[in-house]
Amino acid sequence: QVQLVESGGGLVQAGGSLRLSCAASGRTFSKYAMGWFRQAPGKEREFVATIRSSGGSTYYADSVKGRFTISRDNAKNTVYLQMNSLKPEDTAAYYCASTMGWVLVRPEEYAYWGQGTQVTVSS
């Protein structure tokens, strides 16, 4: 069992930056690939980014490529999402999740989920 807790969301103006964190419990964090997803009201949950268990490989959705950076610190059991050049369309609840596979972009392929953190980008 892996428990995930996101933090770092908030309200920011367009063009601004935020860094999300996801803290994981348990001693197996380093065995999992981690992903970030987001869900806006009335829309399906969509893939944002994923990072390999070692942190050596990353993969991004086209909509965030070049603006967002996923990283992890296995010593701290934490995965991060640095979000720059934010746009109003980035407004959503952001979730971190863990999986044993690579590269996985569908929510149903992830086993454990956090409760989410809200990001709101004003124009």
Side-chain angles (χ1 to χ4, degrees):
Q1 186 90 12
V2 177
Q3 292 184 322
L4 304 172
V5 179
E6 301 96 335
S7 61
L11 174 64
V12 64
Q13 289 188 331
S17 299
L18 281 175
R19 187 175 84 154
L20 306 183
S21 299
C22 172
S25 65
R27 293 175 289 182
T28 59
F29 175 76
S30 62
K31 296 182 180 180
Y32 291 92
M34 299 297 297
W36 284 97
F37 289 77
R38 65 187 182 186
Q39 188 168 19
K43 295 188 177 181
E44 293 186 350
R45 191 165 296 190
E46 66 171 353
F47 168 79
V48 174
T50 185
I51 186 167
R52 207 162 187 137
S53 57
S54 65
S57 297
T58 57
Y59 181 77
Y60 296 91
D62 287 344
S63 59
V64 306
K65 200 173 296 182
R67 300 188 298 123
F68 291 10
T69 302
I70 188 171
S71 63
R72 67 190 295 161
D73 184 338
N74 285 345
K76 295 183 178 180
N77 278 14
T78 302
V79 61
Y80 304 98
L81 186 69
Q82 177 67 44
M83 305 186 295
N84 298 329
S85 302
L86 283 161
K87 305 175 182 180
E89 51 263 43
D90 294 317
T91 295
Y94 282 71
Y95 300 87
C96 67
S98 62
T99 182
M100 295 299 289
W102 181 260
V103 167
L104 303 179
V105 301
R106 296 184 301 169
E108 57 267 32
E109 295 171 320
Y110 285 73
Y112 299 104
W113 291 83
Q115 83 291 346
T117 186
Q118 179 67 35
V119 172
T120 303
V121 185
S122 63
S123 57

